[in-house]
C-alpha cells in the first residue's frame, strides 16, 4: 500500500497546471469531526468575460467527498447561491472538453463522479482509501512505484514554481518530464541508470537576424565533452547530463541543472546576436 498527500495548496497547483484556471481549495472541520472543503473558481477578467456579472467570474461552492471506488471519487457540491447548478454544469463541460474525455460525470443532487482512470497518469490506479483531512487529500493506493514517483516529481516541480508540468506520453521514444520556467521549456529525459539522464531545452532563432543558411553546426561548439548541441535552420537544441548530488531528484537538483542549461543557452543566444555583427565587421577588415 502506498500513500500520497495533496495539501490544499497542492490541489490548487495541480488544477491550475492541468486546467489553467485559478482554482483555490480550503478545508474546514465539520460538526461531526470530518473535513469539508470550499472550492473557489476565479476566471480572468479578459475579453467578453468583462460582460458577465461578478458572480460568474468569482464564485465559491462547498463540497465533501461522499464515496470512492478503486478508480473514481464521488464529490457532493452544496450550492451557496442560486446559480451553482448551472455553474457546476459549465465547469463539468469545460473540464471534459479540456481533457478530451468524460472525466467528470454529473449525478443527481449536486453530486459529481470524477473518473480518475480517465486521467492518463492515473489510468491504472487502484485506490483503497480516500480521506479529506486537515492536511489535505490523503489517498492510499495499491503498490505502484512508477506512479508514486511520477506523482512525487510532478508535485515537487509544481511546488518549485514550474509550469506546464507533464509526464512524457507513453508513445515517446524515452521516458521523462516536461516543464517550463519564465524563460525556457525543458525536457528531463529519464533512464534506468542515473548517469545517462539528460536535460534538454532549445531556443528559436529569430527570423529578423536573417541567419537561415548563413551558419553551420560547427559554429556552436559544446562547452564540455558530454554536452550535445543540435542546430536546425530555425532552432538550436542543447542537452546536458543531469547531475545528481542528492539521494533523489529534488528541487535543488532541478534548479542546479536548469541554471546550467540556462547559462549554456544564454551563450548560444549571445553568439547568434553577435554573429551578424562579426560577419559585417570581417567584410571591411
Amino acid at each position: 500500500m502506498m500513500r500520497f498527500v495533496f495539501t490544499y495548496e497542492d490541489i490548487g497547483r495541480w488544477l491550475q497546471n492541468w486546467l489553467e484556471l485559478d482554482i483555490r481549495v480550503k478545508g474546514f472541520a465539520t460538526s461531526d469531526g470530518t473535513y469539508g472543503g470550499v472550492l473557489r473558481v476565479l476566471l480572468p477578467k479578459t475579453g467578453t468575460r468583462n460582460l458577465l456579472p461578478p458572480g460568474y467570474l468569482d464564485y465559491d461552492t462547498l463540497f465533501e467527498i461522499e464515496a470512492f471506488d478503486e478508480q473514481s471519487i464521488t464529490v457532493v457540491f452544496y450550492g451557496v447561491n442560486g446559480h451553482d447548478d448551472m455553474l457546476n454544469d459549465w465547469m463539468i463541460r469545460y473540464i471534459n472538453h479540456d481533457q478530451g474525455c468524460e472525466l467528470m460525470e454529473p449525478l443527481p443532487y449536486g453530486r459529481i463522479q470524477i473518473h480518475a482512470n480517465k486521467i492518463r497518469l492515473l489510468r491504472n490506479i487502484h485506490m483503497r482509501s480516500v480521506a479529506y483531512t486537515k492536511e489535505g487529500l490523503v489517498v492510499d493506493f495499491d503498490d505502484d512505484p512508477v506512479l508514486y514517483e511520477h506523482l512525487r516529481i510532478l508535485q515537487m516541480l509544481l511546488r518549485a514554481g514550474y509550469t506546464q508540468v507533464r509526464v512524457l506520453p507513453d508513445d515517446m521514444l524515452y521516458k521523462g518530464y516536461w516543464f517550463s520556467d519564465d524563460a525556457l521549456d525543458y525536457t528531463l529525459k529519464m533512464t534506468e541508470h542515473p548517469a545517462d539522464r539528460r536535460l534538454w531545452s532549445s531556443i528559436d532563432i529569430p527570423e529578423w537576424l536573417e541567419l537561415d543558411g548563413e551558419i553551420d553546426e560547427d559554429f556552436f561548439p559544446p562547452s564540455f565533452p558530454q554536452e550535445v548541441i543540435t542546430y536546425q535552420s530555425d532552432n538550436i537544441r542543447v542537452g546536458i547530463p543531469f547531475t545528481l548530488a542528492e539521494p533523489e531528484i529534488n528541487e535543488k537538483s532541478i534548479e542546479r541543472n536548469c541554471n546550467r542549461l540556462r547559462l549554456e543557452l544564454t551563450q548560444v543566444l549571445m553568439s547568434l546576436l553577435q554573429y551578424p555583427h562579426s560577419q559585417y565587421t570581417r567584410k571591411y577588415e
Side-chain angles (χ1 to χ4, degrees), residues 2 8 34 56 65 72 96 99-101 117 158 171 180 183 190 200 203 207 212 234 240 259:
M2 292 183 161
Y8 299 126
T34 60
Y56 289 81
I65 295 174
S72 71
N96 287 345
Q99 296 298 303
C101 63
N117 62 324
L158 291 173
D171 56 2
S180 304
M190 302 294 288
W200 290 87
I203 57 173
E207 291 184 6
D212 189 12
D234 60 348
I240 62 173
N259 285 340

Side-chain angles (χ1 to χ4, degrees), residues 185-210:
D185 299 325
Y186 302 93
T187 299
L188 174 57
K189 180 182 177 181
M190 302 294 288
T191 58
E192 292 186 8
H193 197 290
D196 296 327
R197 294 170 182 164
R198 303 189 71 85
L199 185 66
W200 290 87
S201 190
S202 65
I203 57 173
D204 293 329
I205 301 175
E207 291 184 6
W208 54 267
L209 286 177
E210 299 179 350

